[in-house]
Amino acid sequence: MNRDYEGLHRYRLMQGPLPSLFCCIGDPVVGNPTQLMMEAAFSQISFPGRYITCTVEKNNLQKAVFGLRALSFSGANVTAPHKTAVITYIDELTHSARLIGAVNCITIEEDRLIGDNTDGKGFISSIGDVRGYRVLVFGAGGAARAIITELALHGAQSIHIVNRDSKKCEEIVSQLSSHVETKLTYEALSPQFLIKRGYHLIVQATSVGLFDPTGALDVIWEKGAHTEAIAADVVFNPVHTTFLQRAQHAGYRTVDGLGMLVNQGAYAIKRWTKITPDVQVMQDALTQAFTIG
Ligand code: NDP
C-alpha cells in the first residue's frame, strides 16, 4: 500500500479498520507541542494513528481515563497535573513507573491499561551512557523523580539531590535507595548555591526558567569543569535557558530539554507501534512548532 499519511487515513475511514487513537491529557495543554511531533512520527513510519490534545480538569480525570477504554483508544500521554493521580485508574505499572510513582505513558492492550514513565528514559537517551557518573540534580518534582530513578537504574555512581523543599528529596532517597546501588544524598537549596567541580553531570530539573528567558536558579558555578562535564536542563521553552548559558560559560557541555522531550515521545511511539521512529523528524516538528509559535 503506497499512500501518504492523509491518504492512509481516508482509506482506513472508508474501508476500515479505523486508525489507532492516541491523545495527550493534562491541564493546561494549550502550548504543548507533543501532538505535532507524534503525528510527524506516525507519518514518517506510515502508521495509521491519530493523536489529539485534550484538556482534562482534575475532577474529570477518572472519567477521561475510563473514556479512553470506552472509545477504543490505543494509548495516551499524561502530563501535569495528572502524572501521579492517574495511577489509581491504571491496571498495571512497569517497574520504573512503580519506582518513580508517576505515569506519563499509557498503553491499552486487550482492554488493560498499562502505565509507564518514559520521561527519565528520554532524558538518559539525550545524555548517553551514565554508568559511573557522579550527578547533581536540582529539583524533586515529577521530572526530577523520573530522571533520578533512571540515572540510578542506568548505573550512576552517586546522585546528590538539591531542592527547595528538602522533604521531597528525603522521600525520593528513602523510597529508591533499597532498590538501587547508587549512593543517594540530598540537601536543601540555599541562596547562591555553589556548584562545585567534580560532577560528571549537573541536571536542572526544576520548572525555573520555563517560559521565562531570564529566569534561572540562584547558583554560583565554580569555574574549571573538566572538559567532558555536562550540564542539562529539562526546560525546553526557551531552548537555550539562562542556566545553560551560564553553564557553558563555566566550561560545561550543555544539553537542552528538547532531547528529553523528543526521546520520551519516541519511547512512547515504540511502545505503541513496536516501530522505532526517526527522532530527527520529531525534533524538526518541534523546532517548527516553536519557530512558527
Ligand atoms: P513539578 O511541579 O512536579 O516540580 C517542580 C520542581 O521545580 C520542584 O522541584 C520545585 O521545588 C521546583 N521549583 C519550582 N519553582 C521553584 C523556584 N522558584 N525555585 C526553586 N525551585 C523551584 O514539575 P515537573 O517536575 O513535572 O516539571 C519540572 C519541569 O520539567 C517543567 O519545566 C517541565 O516543563 C519540565 N519537563 C520537561 C520534560 C521534557 O521532556 N523536557 C518532561 C517533563 C517535564 P519545590 O519542590 O521546592 O516546590
Side-chain angles (χ1 to χ4, degrees):
M1 199 168 18
N2 186 19
R3 289 189 175 86
D4 63 15
Y5 188 54
E6 291 305 324
L8 189 60
H9 284 298
R10 274 196 297 279
Y11 179 85
R12 287 280 192 132
L13 183 63
M14 303 312 288
Q15 309 291 330
L18 290 173
S20 305
L21 300 177
F22 302 88
C23 62
C24 173
I25 58 174
D27 185 24
V29 280
V30 173
N32 184 325
T34 301
Q35 172 175 336
L36 299 173
M37 74 169 183
M38 297 310 230
E39 291 214 313
F42 287 161
S43 177
Q44 180 253 328
I45 60 174
S46 297
F47 177 77
R50 285 291 192 189
Y51 191 107
I52 55 169
T53 305
C54 306
T55 300
V56 174
E57 290 176 6
K58 273 187 184 167
N59 59 354
N60 280 328
L61 180 61
Q62 179 177 15
K63 284 188 215 150
V65 175
F66 290 174
L68 294 175
R69 202 187 262 127
L71 292 167
S72 299
F73 271 63
S74 301
N77 285 123
V78 183
T79 189
H82 304 314
K83 287 184 187 180
T84 307
V86 79
I87 287 182
T88 320
Y89 314 118
I90 300 281
D91 299 308
E92 195 181 317
L93 293 176
T94 61
H95 179 58
S96 58
R98 189 172 302 112
L99 278 183
I100 294 163
V103 162
N104 78 329
C105 175
I106 299 172
T107 307
I108 304 171
E109 284 173 1
E110 292 169 7
D111 220 27
R112 284 179 67 72
L113 272 59
I114 301 157
D116 194 5
N117 193 312
T118 64
D119 279 336
K121 295 182 187 76
F123 176 79
I124 300 288
S125 294
S126 74
I127 300 293
D129 189 359
V130 297
R131 260 172 304 172
Y133 270 26
R134 290 185 297 277
V135 188
L136 172 64
V137 176
F138 290 104
R145 233 186 140 88
I147 288 169
I148 291 162
T149 303
E150 292 294 346
L151 283 167
L153 292 175
H154 283 79
Q157 183 192 117
S158 65
I159 305 173
H160 188 56
I161 310 164
V162 178
N163 194 47
R164 211 168 43 173
D165 176 357
S166 65
K167 276 202 218 93
K168 287 189 195 160
C169 306
E170 192 183 344
E171 272 169 34
I172 297 176
V173 172
S174 72
Q175 283 166 14
L176 194 57
S177 44
S178 60
H179 299 277
V180 296
E181 288 179 8
T182 307
K183 186 180 173 203
L184 300 168
T185 52
Y186 68 89
E187 70 179 287
L189 178 65
S190 50
Q192 305 218 309
F193 184 92
L194 178 68
I195 299 179
K196 294 191 184 135
R197 283 174 296 181
Y199 292 106
H200 297 99
L201 172 64
I202 318 273
V203 189
Q204 194 309 103
T206 76
S207 46
V208 175
L210 183 67
F211 303 128
D212 179 7
T214 56
L217 283 175
D218 181 15
V219 294
I220 296 172
W221 297 83
E222 193 175 18
K223 290 216 166 30
H226 71 81
T227 53
E228 288 304 307
I230 303 167
D233 202 328
V234 297
V235 168
F236 53 81
N237 190 359
V239 178
H240 302 292
T241 59
T242 301
F243 177 86
L244 290 184
Q245 290 170 32
R246 291 181 183 161
Q248 199 169 17
H249 191 67
Y252 287 79
R253 184 161 76 79
T254 58
V255 174
D256 63 49
L258 282 185
M260 175 179 174
L261 186 63
V262 167
N263 283 298
Q264 61 81 27
Y267 275 106
I269 300 255
K270 176 92 192 288
R271 256 196 155 273
W272 294 333
T273 68
K274 319 276 186 260
I275 303 170
T276 304
D278 182 342
V279 289
Q280 190 57 51
V281 167
M282 299 172 74
Q283 172 112 23
D284 290 348
L286 280 185
T287 307
Q288 202 183 4
F290 285 120
T291 311
I292 293 168

